[in-house]
Amino acid sequence: MSIQVILALAVFVGAYILIATEKVPRVTVALVAAALMIIIGATDERGIFFSQDSGIDWNVIFLLLGMMIIVGILQQSGVFEFLAIWAAKRAKGRPFVIMVMLVVITAVLSAFLDNVTTVLLIAPVTLLICDRLNVSPVPFLIAEVMASNIGGAATLIGDPPNIIIASRAGLTFNDFIVNMVPIIAILLVVFIGLCWLMFRKQLSFDPTMVARVMALNERETIRDKILLIKSLGVLVLVVTGFILHSVIHLEPAIVALLGAGLLVLITRLENRKIFADVEWQTLLFFAGLFIMVGGLVSLGVIEAVGQAAIEAVGDNFFAAAAGLLLGSAIFSGIIDNIPYVATLAPLVNDLVQAGGPAAEPLWWALALGSDLGGNATAVGASANVVVLGIAMRNGHPISFWTFTKYGLIVTAVTVTLCLPYLWLRYFAGG
Amino acid sequence: MRASDLQSSFPMVGRDTTAVQAARIIAAQDLAGLVIADRAGAPSAVISAVDVLGLMVPGYVVDDMSLAGVLDENAAEEVWDKAGQHTIGDLLDDDGVRKYELVRVDADDTILEVAARMADARAQIALVNGPLGSPAQFVTLPVLMDSIVTFCAPADAAHADA
């Protein structure tokens, strides 16, 4: 092993530790690690900007940018708050029915918006509804963030790891719909049952509070009807563009950018509002990660590990998928699933290239494990951290262990259910 | 003219002061902010009146302003009742609220020195250092501005005549 490889591995491991411990902002870690990879000579400008294997994945960066712009404009319409209050009123103030409706709304929204945006939209209105019902919002907030992590796994755009997997594996929006939606729908039904078991004792129903919920005027949340129509129209067009990929031959990133451009053009909002929800730090974090992992790819480290994995797996791809699913769930519960998937994606790519179509389910195992594993602990996903912060600010603190005791149950059940799905769907016939 | 010529007493609140009590003080004396006393009763920081207002509004409405409209008048009354439960301590513990460090000036500092320090710190109030154990005295922005305007007035008049 050369000095260059040892240094690159040291940078990589050091960056992972710093990202996991959150002592330093993750974007700083990723960018410094990327710079060190360049200084070591592990990569160069050609590798960084133009290589499909070891460079920045521009499809991922621009798909995220486009969706952030679209969602940022759409959320200003107030439609999500309208939906949540409407649902609470349809449930006639019964806490568990409200929880089920909010869980379903959150999961469906998460399939099309990023999870952090979804919980940022749903948490305040949940606090309002719980305030009116005079019940603790803690079970609702925990259920919603978990529903967000489950629902986000359903589509290509629902969770950043899926975007990375889709780009690296060449998978389309429809591939995700066909392969992920069935299991996610099952998991959502099971999750609602788990909510009943875990939270039913905390959901006392007081009929005298119903009138307070029914008095909420959801129409007041719609601030700009024209904006709502325009932004929903563009979102429908963008999703249609994703679905018609095989016909129009446009990459998801291009579809999202075209949609964002169209929305900017027809809404004519000021720049401050258009770019308010673009998380530039997240985009830079992704760029830094791609350079850091690209350094290992350029030096042949990933290929060597991939070769070892190919020999270890042989043709037992179900065992590999099970290991990848469980390992990804455990890792993603402890560390950010984005750097995890950014590192694993080239490795899985090597396995799939060597194994052919029989090994393709490994991508779904990686996606399911890394997406669902985020529920395991309070720090397993960015959305969890955001919800804990909102709960704390509003006087309903949720401790790390309170979240984690529910998270471990939900993760164990949902990930375990993925095993028979993978077996029946991809391996039982062979 | 020195800082000691501009100084006056200023209401201070502690961690246990409720949002409603703080709001009453602000409203009664038309203040732009409040001085926070530490546990020993010594002035330690300044918060703006807007942050006290934020303390009275439910956090979920601050996070998502579209929710303010969905509550009717009866619900709003309950909201104000609940506001009384929050204290200045909650505000100090909130990382999202900016706590201004108290600007300190000496009693013999000139108006220019006081103005420079307050402008640099973007402070609306400055604590005048005094003898240990004496009541805290402050220079406020309106009093300081009034003094500056008084000094500037003759020059302005001369400029206008020219």
Side-chain angles (χ1 to χ4, degrees):
Chain A
M1 195 183 285
S2 70
I3 293 288
Q4 199 182 26
V5 170
I6 292 170
L7 286 173
L9 281 171
V11 168
F12 178 79
V13 173
Y16 245 77
I17 292 170
L18 286 173
I19 290 171
T21 55
E22 297 178 353
K23 297 279 182 203
V24 182
R26 63 181 192 167
V27 62
T28 309
V29 176
L31 291 178
V32 170
L36 290 173
M37 285 292 189
I38 296 165
I39 292 167
I40 290 167
T43 186
D44 56 17
E45 65 270 19
R46 185 170 290 277
I48 291 169
F49 295 116
F50 304 108
S51 169
Q52 282 204 323
D53 296 324
S54 63
I56 296 171
D57 195 328
W58 298 110
N59 274 325
V60 172
I61 303 281
F62 283 106
L63 175 54
L64 282 168
L65 175 63
M67 290 310 294
M68 283 174 183
I69 293 172
I70 293 169
V71 171
I73 295 174
L74 177 62
Q75 73 178 53
Q76 292 171 36
S77 66
V79 65
F80 306 111
E81 295 87 339
F82 176 91
L83 268 178
I85 295 173
W86 173 84
K89 289 173 78 168
R90 293 292 84 71
K92 298 200 166 26
R94 286 165 295 175
F96 183 69
V97 182
I98 292 177
M99 179 183 273
V100 171
M101 293 181 98
L102 291 179
V103 158
V104 173
I105 287 172
T106 306
V108 173
L109 285 180
S110 277
F112 298 99
L113 319 178
D114 80 274
N115 296 350
V116 170
T117 303
T118 307
V119 296
L120 277 173
L121 290 168
I122 213 79
V125 71
T126 301
L127 287 160
L128 165 74
I129 292 166
C130 291
D131 182 51
R132 296 287 83 203
L133 280 174
N134 204 24
V135 295
S136 167
V138 169
F140 290 83
L141 293 174
I142 293 176
E144 283 165 6
V145 71
M146 288 181 181
S148 165
N149 289 328
I150 293 170
T155 68
L156 187 157
I157 54 172
D159 217 353
N162 292 11
I163 298 176
I164 297 173
I165 289 169
S167 182
R168 293 284 154 141
L171 296 167
T172 65
F173 190 83
N174 292 351
D175 290 330
F176 272 82
I177 297 287
V178 169
N179 291 279
M180 296 291 273
V181 167
I183 180 65
I184 295 304
I186 294 167
L187 294 182
L188 199 57
V189 172
V190 172
F191 174 67
I192 289 169
L194 284 174
C195 286
W196 169 249
L197 291 173
M198 294 188 301
F199 301 126
R200 69 182 189 280
K201 288 179 183 166
Q202 299 172 54
L203 303 176
S204 56
F205 177 51
D206 182 352
T208 60
M209 296 293 164
V210 173
R212 289 154 53 103
V213 172
M214 301 310 280
L216 296 173
N217 184 2
E218 69 270 28
R219 290 183 190 283
E220 285 291 327
T221 61
I222 304 292
R223 282 153 281 179
D224 188 339
K225 277 186 188 164
I226 303 294
L227 180 69
L228 171 65
I229 292 164
K230 286 177 178 173
S231 46
L232 273 180
V234 168
L235 185 64
V236 169
L237 275 178
V238 167
V239 172
T240 308
F242 291 152
I243 293 169
L244 295 179
H245 173 261
S246 59
V247 179
I248 59 177
H249 303 294
L250 288 177
E251 288 300 315
I254 303 297
V255 174
L257 283 179
L258 288 173
L262 176 64
L263 196 51
V264 168
L265 199 65
I266 60 177
T267 56
R268 297 187 175 275
L269 292 172
E270 50 189 300
N271 281 356
R272 183 175 56 83
K273 288 186 175 175
I274 292 168
F275 299 112
D277 286 289
V278 175
E279 297 167 35
W280 300 106
Q281 291 197 23
T282 300
L283 299 179
L284 282 172
F285 173 62
F286 271 84
L289 272 181
F290 285 131
I291 297 170
M292 184 176 80
V293 176
L296 294 184
V297 172
S298 298
L299 293 175
V301 175
I302 299 289
E303 192 183 350
V305 177
Q307 199 56 44
I310 290 166
E311 285 168 19
V313 167
D315 60 355
N316 192 352
F317 294 115
F318 176 66
L324 197 55
L325 175 75
L326 298 176
S328 300
I330 293 168
F331 266 99
S332 297
I334 302 165
I335 58 166
D336 195 330
N337 58 10
I338 294 168
Y340 173 77
V341 171
T343 310
L344 261 281
L347 199 66
V348 172
N349 198 35
D350 285 349
L351 279 167
V352 173
Q353 295 291 327
E360 278 174 8
L362 293 180
W363 287 119
W364 307 121
L366 176 63
L368 286 167
S370 56
D371 291 343
L372 298 175
N375 274 335
T377 69
V379 295
S382 305
N384 306 0
V385 178
V386 167
V387 161
L388 261 59
I390 293 173
M392 171 73 90
R393 271 209 314 281
N394 284 277
H396 303 283
I398 303 170
S399 73
F400 178 89
W401 290 112
T402 301
F403 186 96
T404 303
K405 78 177 178 193
Y406 296 119
L408 287 174
I409 294 169
V410 170
T411 305
V413 172
T414 52
V415 171
T416 304
L417 282 173
C418 291
L419 275 175
Y421 174 76
L422 289 172
W423 166 254
L424 291 169
R425 178 89 194 252
Y426 305 109
F427 299 104
Chain B
M1 192 172 271
R2 305 282 170 170
S4 57
D5 300 318
L6 307 179
Q7 69 184 28
S8 61
S9 61
F10 194 85
M12 286 200 287
V13 295
R15 287 185 67 90
D16 297 335
T17 307
T18 64
V20 172
Q21 288 169 332
R24 282 204 184 102
I25 296 169
I26 289 168
Q29 304 187 40
D30 204 15
L31 304 175
L34 285 172
V35 175
I36 313 288
D38 62 17
R39 293 185 199 282
S44 62
V46 175
I47 52 167
S48 73
V50 169
D51 287 326
V52 175
L53 179 65
L55 190 60
M56 302 177 76
V57 178
Y60 55 78
V61 175
V62 175
D63 287 338
D64 186 344
M65 271 180 284
S66 70
L67 298 178
V70 306
L71 293 164
D72 60 16
E73 282 301 318
N74 291 336
E77 276 179 28
E78 290 172 28
V79 164
W80 300 129
D81 284 344
K82 277 195 177 174
Q85 296 167 5
H86 299 296
T87 65
I88 295 297
D90 298 333
L91 202 58
L92 295 177
D93 295 336
D94 187 345
D95 291 336
V97 173
R98 182 169 177 184
K99 275 76 71 173
Y100 296 91
E101 227 174 275
L102 201 52
V103 174
R104 291 168 187 273
V105 297
D106 289 328
D108 62 350
D109 281 349
T110 62
I111 292 183
L112 184 57
E113 283 177 288
V114 175
R117 279 175 189 275
M118 289 176 68
D120 179 54
R122 305 184 72 79
Q124 307 227 12
I125 190 162
L127 173 67
V128 182
N129 290 324
L132 205 63
S134 62
Q137 295 288 306
F138 302 89
V139 175
T140 62
L141 191 58
V143 172
L144 177 69
M145 293 291 246
D146 188 48
S147 303
I148 293 170
V149 170
T150 306
F151 273 114
C152 291
D156 267 359
H159 191 261
D161 290 344

